[in-house]
Structures are given as structure tokens and as C-alpha cells.
């Protein structure tokens, strides 16, 4: 099995964190070394972003877009636990969010082309082997968010999630030539969604030796 960079995408509450964990577990059971990571990252810029997402510090949306791009470069290149290091060691890297999140979330308020330009280095350095977009209705997402969270982030309002979902759809259509994106229905049971993801990855040859 080759190394691969697998990214999960979708609106808040779509279930991607759980599915990312289930897929990592599956790879581990198959004896494949797998790293599960996320953005915002656990690095210094990522920590600042999480404070901003909780509303503890305030930045304009342009600054947020630039910080997400900076966090991404740090997440890719840092020598301790960076994505590039793990890929170079032959591991499978599963990442909960990557640049499609910036394109979808930040382009609600900033220019999409500019957001893409900010991420052009990341796209050159590490384009995902595949982006898995978990598709879920805004109502279902809000239902899950209210059940599972004690803390509601700044982008988790109904209006913002609806805009972000539309934005994801636009971005996916726009990038279909250059990005490998698979769309998975996210409203079924955890096990059904996990199985659909595995089947799609199998079709892409990701489980071959
Ligand atoms: P999320 O994956 O929902 O983290 P958690 O499960 O810990 O709450 O991501 C946090 C938020 O960050 C989410 O609202 C989306 C937002 N975000 C962006 O707006 N742009 C980005 O580039 C990234 C990576 C995340």
C-alpha cells in the first residue's frame, strides 16, 4: 500500500471527525501506518485560530483566511509532526480539513480567487490524493451540533452553515478538473457512511500494495 494524503471536508456537524477516526482505525487494523491530523492544527497558529473560532479574540475575515493559510503551511512543513514528514516516511496521512475548508468557509466573505492564491503554495507542496466531502443538510448538521457540543463556534449559525454549504458546492464544481473530490452522503448510519468511504477509496486503488 502506498502513502496517501486523505482529506475530510464538509460543514460543521457533518461527521467528518468521527469518519476520519474510523478510517484511521481501519488502516491501522490493516497494518498500515497512519497519522490522523487536523486543521486548524495543534501548532501555535492553529491554537490562535481556535481562540478566534471560540470568539475569544477577533480578527477580520481576511486575517482569518491568511491565518488559516499560514497554519496550513506550518502544519505541512514543521519538522516535529508535519504532514510532509509523515508522507515522506511512507505513512497514510488523514487530515480533518484542508484548503477546501478555507475556500468554502472564507469565501463567504472574502474573494475566492484571493483565498486560492493564499493557498497556492500548499496546493503545490501537497495536493490531497483525495478529498472526501461529506454531504449533509444544514438542519441535520445543526441537530448534531446542538447534541454534541458545549461550545458553539463562530461559523456554526444556520445562516453561515447554509452559505458555507453553497460555497462548498460552488468550489467542488469549480475545482473538479484539478482536485480529486468524492462526495459521500453523510446522513446514513456511521457504519454505512464508513463503508461507502472505504468502497470509494478501494475504487481509487488506495488499498493496493
Ligand atoms: P472543525 O473541523 O469543525 O473542528 P472542531 O470539530 O474541533 O470544532 O473546524 C473548526 C472550524 O474552523 C469550523 O467551523 C470550520 C473552520 N475552518 C475555516 O473556516 N477555514 C479553514 O480553513 C479551516 C481549516 C477551518
Amino acid at each position: 500500500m502506498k502513502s496517501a494524503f486523505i482529506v475530510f471536508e464538509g460543514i460543521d456537524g457533518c461527521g467528518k471527525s468521527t469518519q476520519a477516526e474510523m478510517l484511521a482505525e481501519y488502516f491501522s487494523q490493516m497494518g498500515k501506518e497512519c497519522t490522523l491530523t487536523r486543521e486548524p492544527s495543534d501548532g501555535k497558529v492553529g491554537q490562535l485560530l481556535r481562540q478566534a473560532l471560540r470568539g475569544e479574540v477577533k480578527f477580520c475575515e481576511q486575517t482569518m483566511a491568511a491565518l488559516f493559510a499560514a497554519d496550513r503551511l506550518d502544519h505541512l512543513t514543521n519538522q516535529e509532526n508535519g504532514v510532509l514528514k509523515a508522507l515522506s516516511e511512507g505513512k497514510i496521512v488523514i487530515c480533518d480539513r484542508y484548503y477546501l475548508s478555507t475556500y468554502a468557509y472564507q469565501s463567504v466573505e472574502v474573494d475566492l480567487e484571493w483565498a486560492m492564491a493564499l493557498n497556492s503554495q500548499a496546493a503545490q507542496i501537497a495536493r490531497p490524493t483525495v478529498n472526501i466531502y461529506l454531504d449533509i443538510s444544514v438542519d441535520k448538521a445543526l441537530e448534531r451540533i446542538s447534541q454534541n457540543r458545549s461550545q458553539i463556534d463562530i461559523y456554526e449559525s444556520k445562516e453561515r452553515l447554509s452559505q458555507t454549504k453553497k460555497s462548498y458546492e460552488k468550489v467542488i464544481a469549480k475545482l473538479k478538473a484539478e482536485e480529486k473530490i468524492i462526495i459521500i452522503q453523510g446522513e446514513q448510519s456511521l457504519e454505512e457512511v464508513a463503508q461507502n468511504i472505504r468502497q470509494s477509496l478501494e475504487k481509487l486503488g488506495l488499498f493496493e500494495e
Side-chain angles (χ1 to χ4, degrees):
M1 202 188 293
K2 299 161 248 159
S3 94
F5 183 26
I6 301 171
V7 170
F8 278 86
E9 290 285 353
I11 58 173
D12 293 84
C14 71
K16 62 185 173 35
S17 306
T18 309
Q19 289 299 331
E21 277 168 27
M22 288 170 83
L23 186 64
E25 178 64 31
Y26 181 72
F27 277 117
S28 300
Q29 278 169 10
M30 287 168 73
K32 178 70 196 172
E33 265 205 280
C34 178
T35 300
L36 179 58
T37 185
R38 62 174 186 169
E39 291 188 2
S41 77
D42 295 324
K44 293 282 181 215
V45 188
Q47 288 168 22
L48 178 61
L49 276 164
R50 288 192 187 275
Q51 285 184 307
L53 289 165
R54 292 194 295 266
E56 293 164 11
V57 281
K58 286 214 181 347
F59 296 113
C60 72
E61 275 296 299
Q62 280 77 5
T63 305
M64 289 296 279
L67 285 173
F68 280 118
D71 179 44
R72 189 155 294 128
L73 289 169
D74 177 45
H75 186 213
L76 284 174
T77 59
N78 88 73
Q79 292 301 308
E80 237 170 278
N81 54 1
V83 169
L84 291 180
K85 183 165 177 275
L87 289 173
S88 73
E89 290 164 355
K91 292 181 183 151
I92 301 261
V93 177
I94 299 178
C95 188
D96 188 343
R97 298 196 182 280
Y98 194 49
Y99 49 63
L100 293 190
S101 285
T102 303
Y103 302 169
Y105 278 81
Q106 275 61 56
S107 78
V108 170
E109 287 186 51
V110 311
D111 179 55
L112 174 60
E113 297 299 329
W114 182 68
M116 289 175 68
L118 281 177
N119 284 278
S120 61
Q121 282 289 310
Q124 264 174 37
I125 301 172
R127 202 179 282 282
T129 314
V130 60
N131 298 275
I132 300 168
Y133 173 69
L134 294 187
D135 193 13
I136 179 176
S137 71
V138 171
D139 286 337
K140 184 79 186 169
L142 283 167
E143 191 186 302
R144 288 192 188 163
I145 290 169
S146 64
Q147 279 165 5
N148 301 336
R149 308 274 167 89
S150 50
Q151 157 86 38
I152 304 292
D153 283 353
I154 55 171
Y155 299 134
E156 292 179 341
S157 68
K158 180 165 187 166
E159 195 197 354
R160 187 63 188 238
L161 283 187
S162 308
Q163 291 166 324
T164 305
K165 183 170 160 73
K166 284 206 192 83
S167 196
Y168 260 120
E169 285 159 5
K170 191 171 112 190
V171 164
I172 289 170
K174 185 179 167 77
L175 295 181
K176 63 172 186 276
E178 59 227 73
E179 293 288 337
K180 182 84 210 156
I181 303 172
I182 55 178
I183 301 174
I184 302 280
Q185 287 312 316
E187 291 192 22
Q188 292 140 308
S189 71
L190 285 183
E191 206 27 73
E192 277 169 317
V193 175
Q195 205 177 342
N196 289 339
I197 290 170
R198 290 196 294 265
Q199 276 169 1
S200 299
L201 296 181
E202 195 162 7
K203 277 193 208 139
L204 291 178
L206 274 178
F207 299 126
E208 285 163 17
E209 280 305 319

